[in-house]
């Protein structure tokens, strides 16, 4: 029952909107302080086997969806390997991840720290997203690259005005 899953998340500090569909199992990482770093808007879908790293905030705006097996990482370290952490310091740290309204992340995609997936954007299954995804675009690949714009030309510029 989706209501039970949402109630459990809320009980431990997550902000969950109306009518979520949260399929088990859901893996939440770095939750020592509760689920306060998780915000799920209205009508969002999180499919089973999703892995959410709550070291920094994860926000799903209204209507965003995460496919089965999606991995969302908000931090990166090299298991206390001093050499790697010194030489790759620019890749270490913690940053929030945001999924804007109506976006869809398909099965098995990985979204890393600091990324925003744009409004009504689509991330292909298995993609690795290491930079922001513009509104109304379709991205795919490792690393994810823009494949095409979604919707008629010029429509995105007028959306919401």
């Amino acid at each position: 029952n989706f209501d039970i899953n949402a109630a459990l998340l809320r009980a431990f500090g997550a902000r969950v909107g109306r009518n979520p569909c949260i399929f088990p199992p859901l893996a939440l990482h770095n939750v020592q302080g509760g689920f306060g770093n998780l915000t799920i808007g209205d009508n969002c879908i999180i499919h089973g086997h999703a892995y959410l790293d709550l070291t920094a905030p994860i926000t799903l705006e209204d209507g965003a969806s995460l496919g089965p097996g999606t991995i969302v990482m908000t931090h990166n370290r090299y298991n206390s390997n001093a050499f790697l952490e010194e030489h790759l310091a620019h890749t270490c740290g913690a940053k929030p991840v945001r999924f804007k309204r109506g976006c869809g992340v398909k099965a098995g995609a990985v979204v890393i720290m600091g990324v925003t997936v744009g409004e009504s954007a689509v991330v292909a299954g298995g993609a690795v997203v290491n930079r922001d995804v513009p509104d109304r675009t379709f991205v795919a690949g490792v690393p994810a690259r823009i494949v095409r714009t979604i919707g008629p030309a010029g429509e995105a510029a007028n959306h919401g005005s």
Side-chain angles (χ1 to χ4, degrees):
N1 185 328
F2 302 129
D3 293 335
I4 292 170
N5 295 335
L8 285 169
L9 290 172
R10 285 184 193 107
F12 289 94
R15 289 166 299 287
V16 181
R18 296 182 316 263
N19 304 314
C21 291
I22 303 167
F23 294 88
L26 176 63
L28 301 174
H29 179 69
N30 281 340
V31 296
Q32 298 84 343
F35 302 165
N37 274 344
L38 181 59
T39 301
I40 301 170
D42 296 342
N43 304 307
C44 288
I45 300 172
I46 301 176
H47 286 276
H49 298 282
Y51 179 96
L52 307 180
D53 168 25
L54 297 179
T55 302
I58 295 174
T59 302
L60 284 84
E61 294 181 358
D62 295 347
S65 65
L66 302 180
T70 297
I71 298 171
V72 181
M73 296 300 300
T74 64
H75 88 287
N76 188 48
R77 294 289 309 265
Y78 293 97
N79 297 322
S80 300
N81 179 321
F83 174 82
L84 291 176
E85 290 190 5
E86 175 186 345
H87 288 69
L88 299 172
H90 66 284
T91 67
C92 294
K95 296 177 185 172
V97 173
R98 178 178 172 203
F99 298 94
K100 291 174 77 175
R101 187 169 62 99
C103 73
V105 178
K106 300 306 174 187
V110 177
V111 180
I112 69 163
M113 66 178 195
V115 166
T116 295
V117 176
E119 185 174 322
S120 298
V122 176
V123 174
V128 176
V129 184
N130 63 356
R131 61 179 53 105
D132 289 351
V133 176
D135 293 349
R136 296 182 174 212
T137 57
F138 173 72
V139 300
V142 179
R145 300 276 189 235
I146 295 173
V147 174
R148 68 180 181 89
T149 300
I150 300 170
E155 183 182 14
N158 297 324
H159 181 69
S161 46

